[in-house]
Amino acid sequence: MKNNLLKYSFIAACIALTPVASLRAEDAMKPDGTNHEKNEKMQMDGCMMMNGKMMECKGGKQMEMTKDMEMSDGTKVMKDGSVMMKGGKTMKMKDGDMIGMDGKMMPRTPAATMAH
């Protein structure tokens, strides 16, 4: 049950990382009911600790991190959940912790917080 709760929390986190876009005429759906270009632009990437493993959210899909990552602001995220901020401060991510590709920590989702 805890694994399912964390899995759904991670999915919710990926959705929460998706920015809200303003509606414009060029953003309107195509006649077939899709807007693939807009959906691709709206996806936001990041990392999350889930079940003691670092997961990468990329293009709306989740996968286990296979290598350390450097975020756009210089923050480094390691596979073991260690984070070194660009200023040198270090921290260890816990289940439910999320960080965007911009290096900013995201608030935990309520479901991820309840799983502790």
Side-chain angles (χ1 to χ4, degrees):
M1 170 115 175
K2 183 177 178 181
N3 288 342
N4 284 338
L5 184 59
L6 286 173
K7 180 178 179 181
Y8 293 124
S9 297
F10 183 73
I11 292 168
C14 288
I15 293 168
L17 292 174
T18 305
V20 177
S22 61
L23 295 175
R24 301 178 303 201
E26 61 267 22
D27 294 336
M29 293 182 101
K30 296 176 183 168
D32 67 355
T34 63
N35 188 351
H36 299 290
E37 293 172 350
K38 188 64 181 176
N39 288 339
E40 288 174 15
K41 290 178 188 175
M42 288 178 56
Q43 295 299 327
M44 200 168 166
D45 300 338
C47 300
M48 178 179 179
M49 177 67 79
M50 185 170 75
N51 292 331
K53 295 180 183 179
M54 286 300 295
M55 303 297 287
E56 183 179 351
C57 184
K58 189 171 186 178
K61 295 181 181 180
Q62 65 184 22
M63 63 207 91
E64 190 169 346
M65 278 180 64
T66 57
K67 61 182 179 178
D68 298 343
M69 298 175 66
E70 185 169 344
M71 306 312 193
S72 62
D73 73 343
T75 297
K76 294 179 183 165
V77 180
M78 279 51 98
K79 294 185 308 184
D80 68 355
S82 301
V83 177
M84 182 181 290
M85 304 295 187
K86 65 179 178 179
K89 180 182 173 186
T90 59
M91 64 165 285
K92 183 82 169 179
M93 292 180 71
K94 298 178 182 128
D95 277 353
D97 286 345
M98 299 171 281
I99 188 167
M101 291 303 291
D102 59 0
K104 294 187 174 140
M105 293 299 292
M106 306 287 174
R108 290 183 184 188
T109 60
T113 305
M114 289 188 313
H116 289 259

